Amino acid sequence: MIQLQNVSKTYKNGVKALNNINLSIKPGEIVGLIGPNGAGKTTLVKIMLGLLNPTSGTIKIFGKQIDKLSKNEKRRVGFLLDGPGFYDDLTVEENLNFWSELYNVPNDRKSELINQWQLNENKKSLVKELSAGMRQKLSIVRTFLHEPEIIFMDEPTSNLDPLARKNMVEFLKSFQDTETAFLITSHDLFDVERICSRIVLIRRGEIVVSGNMEELKRALGVQIGVKIRVSSDIPQVITSKFTKDCEISFLNEKELLVTGNKDCSKNIMKYLISQGVDVERVEEEKITLEDIYLSIIREDEEQ
Ligand SMILES: Nc1ncnc2c1ncn2[C@@H]1O[C@H](COP(=O)(O)OP(=O)(O)OP(=O)(O)O)[C@@H](O)[C@H]1O
Ligand SMILES: [Mg+2]
């Protein structure tokens, strides 16, 4: 649906914002693009939308170079970007009417979104008088108005209050089993983890890792910590028995913390049971996207 091949971008001032990006997005995928400030996320979104030209490389949407897309094909793409795009001296309603006419959107679709994003009270407000969050809600409504099949969103939850942010997360999750393709950039890693089927981490214009949470953990060799609680004393020899790939530490006489790959905890439990020790509780430490992100970025900064 979307294909980027060897995309690089060097701005006129010499800043190399993207270096050889290869990425493809299939129908139904919700891709989260994350990375530090200045990593190149917005640049990439703008290039995918044809708002910026890459220095080299090709971008295809629906199998076509983006400058070759027909009007109808362009209509199937939606976007949310910070910045321009509205008539500041017109009201919320007038702006939405403009877009609705352009896209042939029925009135009830428009009203449904206005209600959903609590813009009813602000329908008559001039866009230039909106708060940052209200403006963001207006952008959201515009993005989804014409029910696009491909949606690019640069920081969709920025400026939203906690309730609106939660609405946004729920709204995006409602697309999880549809054919709509998304590319979403965000610094809200908790949200990205809940919403996205694939995560792409970029740093200094290059893709560092890409995959779902399980793949990311595996690629990074993330060590999983498992707490094992037993009902009788643990044989002390256990710490010397599994030294190779597993690290075992005693939290107290009845609790162990095991770090290593998935097999570690499995083998240790088997051993305990074979020694007649009752395993009471097993708790896996949860590794979040934030943990993964921080471990990559910190490691990089230390170099
Ligand atoms: N119009 C421009 N002219 C020159 N350099 C630019 C321009 N826009 C962005 N850059 C530079 O390109 C690099 C990537 O910027 P970009 O805005 O794509 O990052 P980002 O990942 O979106 O960051 P953030 O998380 O802060 O939004 C940065 O070094 C930035 O300074
Ligand atoms: Mg940005």
Side-chain angles (χ1 to χ4, degrees), residues 11 13 15 17 35-44 155 187:
Y11 282 105
N13 60 2
V15 172
N37 293 132
K41 302 178 296 297
T42 300
T43 304
L44 192 61
E155 303 193 28
H187 292 295

Side-chain angles (χ1 to χ4, degrees), residues 29-278:
E29 271 197 300
I30 305 184
V31 175
L33 183 65
I34 62 172
N37 293 132
K41 302 178 296 297
T42 300
T43 304
L44 192 61
V45 172
K46 286 185 176 165
I47 286 180
M48 287 180 170
L49 283 168
L51 299 174
L52 261 184
N53 286 321
T55 311
S56 59
T58 54
I59 302 108
K60 285 185 180 167
I61 291 186
F62 305 123
K64 275 188 180 175
Q65 303 250 112
I66 41 176
D67 53 344
K68 305 260 166 24
L69 291 179
S70 67
K71 224 172 142 189
N72 231 338
E73 285 162 333
K74 281 187 188 153
R75 196 193 170 283
R76 290 157 63 196
V77 178
F79 66 92
L80 187 154
L81 278 178
D82 187 29
F86 293 109
Y87 295 101
D88 277 344
D89 289 316
L90 296 183
T91 65
V92 165
E93 195 169 34
E94 286 162 344
N95 267 278
L96 287 175
N97 287 344
F98 170 80
W99 287 95
S100 298
E101 273 169 40
L102 192 72
Y103 288 137
N104 262 321
V105 177
N107 270 333
D108 43 353
R109 169 77 184 158
K110 189 179 62 191
S111 321
E112 176 198 324
L113 283 168
I114 288 177
N115 277 327
Q116 187 178 357
W117 291 97
Q118 302 100 26
L119 282 172
N120 253 324
E121 281 173 29
N122 303 101
K123 272 198 323 205
K124 307 277 179 227
S125 313
L126 296 180
V127 166
K128 66 178 174 196
E129 290 163 357
L130 295 179
S131 72
M134 289 169 187
R135 202 184 156 96
Q136 185 74 357
K137 289 178 186 175
L138 178 59
S139 298
I140 294 167
V141 171
R142 187 192 55 194
T143 304
F144 290 93
L145 207 52
H146 57 301
E147 302 180 73
E149 292 161 47
I150 296 181
I151 301 175
F152 298 96
M153 301 177 109
D154 196 16
E155 303 193 28
T157 51
S158 74
N159 292 318
L160 294 182
D161 64 48
L163 180 64
R165 181 177 144 190
K166 192 161 183 295
N167 284 345
M168 187 66 192
V169 172
E170 293 308 318
F171 186 57
L172 290 174
K173 277 168 81 177
S174 73
F175 287 91
Q176 273 170 343
D177 295 315
T178 69
E179 288 295 284
T180 313
F182 283 85
L183 181 94
I184 302 172
T185 82
S186 181
H187 292 295
D188 287 318
L189 300 184
F190 182 63
D191 292 344
V192 170
E193 186 175 344
R194 285 188 290 170
I195 298 165
C196 298
S197 53
R198 183 150 62 98
I199 293 145
V200 176
L201 170 57
I202 68 167
R203 183 191 55 191
R204 295 197 204 111
E206 294 182 8
I207 295 181
V208 187
V209 276
S210 160
N212 61 28
M213 279 297 286
E214 286 312 312
E215 288 164 338
L216 256 49
K217 283 184 208 167
R218 227 176 299 139
L220 295 170
V222 170
Q223 302 271 296
I224 300 162
V226 178
K227 260 196 230 170
I228 302 175
R229 194 180 159 76
V230 297
S231 55
S232 48
D233 284 357
I234 303 164
Q236 292 287 336
V237 291
I238 197 161
T239 42
S240 53
K241 226 176 147 49
F242 292 90
T243 44
K244 206 162 156 270
D245 302 307
C246 319
E247 198 180 307
I248 305 177
S249 43
F250 275 85
L251 296 170
N252 54 56
E253 288 115 70
K254 296 210 161 90
E255 232 167 357
L256 290 175
L257 179 69
V258 177
T259 23
N261 59 32
K262 276 217 150 139
D263 287 336
C264 282
S265 49
K266 226 197 281 170
N267 292 336
I268 288 167
M269 277 192 288
K270 266 195 206 151
Y271 172 76
L272 286 171
I273 291 164
S274 78
Q275 296 300 301
V277 178
D278 269 341

